[in-house]
Amino acid sequence: MRHILTALALSLTCALPAIVHAEPAKVQFATEVFFDSGSARLSADAVSILDQVVSKSSELEPELIMAIGHTDALLSDARAQTLSVQRAEAVKKYLADKGFERIRIYTEGKAKRLPAAGNDTREGRARNNRVEVQLVGPRAGAAEH
């Protein structure tokens, strides 16, 4: 029985995706895209910011784009997690539609676990309804261009 449990634990460990952490020195460009409370729809302001990301990515040729979604604390834990992932995926879809390789866009939802501001004011909650976007590291061979 112990061998089966060990094999199961090993299988689960191998099946889980690795957590991606960018070294600060490798982050070439970072910005935030904000969302209306409870929404994963990209606003005109969000699209404008993402267009800047597209411009920077063509200039910097990053190895990876990270899109980390967040929410305010007004939602249940489960809804906050779902919404934070939906926000990150909305950013990924927009960037992919603009020509960036989907495989090079990492998304993750942090829900309400890492607020940028307090949730006791409308302004604080607005700052927490965001996706952090980072362009990480130059793509191999990019310096040769």
Side-chain angles (χ1 to χ4, degrees):
M1 181 69 164
R2 186 170 28 150
H3 297 295
I4 293 171
L5 291 176
T6 302
L8 179 60
L10 183 58
S11 296
L12 288 174
T13 302
C14 293
L16 297 174
I19 296 175
V20 176
H21 295 284
E23 294 178 33
K26 290 191 173 200
V27 174
Q28 299 181 45
F29 178 78
T31 190
E32 294 178 324
V33 177
F34 294 96
F35 291 80
D36 291 334
S37 184
S39 174
R41 188 183 64 78
L42 294 172
S43 67
D45 288 340
V47 168
S48 176
I49 291 169
L50 289 174
D51 285 341
Q52 292 175 25
V53 170
V54 170
S55 175
K56 281 289 187 185
S57 71
S58 64
E59 174 187 323
L60 299 172
E61 298 186 48
E63 182 177 330
L64 175 73
I65 291 181
M66 294 177 60
I68 311 299
H70 302 271
T71 68
D72 61 33
L74 297 181
L75 305 170
S76 69
D77 291 347
R79 177 67 183 127
Q81 182 60 38
T82 299
L83 183 57
S84 66
V85 170
Q86 289 171 339
R87 287 174 173 172
E89 289 294 325
V91 167
K92 179 176 185 170
K93 180 182 181 328
Y94 186 85
L95 295 174
D97 288 348
K98 292 293 184 177
F100 203 81
E101 298 172 82
R102 292 184 70 80
I103 197 165
R104 293 188 183 276
I105 307 170
Y106 171 80
T107 60
E108 183 177 349
K110 294 287 190 179
K112 53 188 174 181
R113 294 186 298 271
L114 297 172
N119 282 290
D120 52 342
T121 66
R122 183 178 304 185
E123 294 80 16
R125 290 188 298 273
R127 287 191 53 213
N128 292 332
N129 289 311
R130 70 195 191 283
V131 170
E132 297 172 344
V133 181
Q134 298 178 345
L135 303 182
V136 181
R139 190 178 303 178
E144 299 168 7
H145 295 299

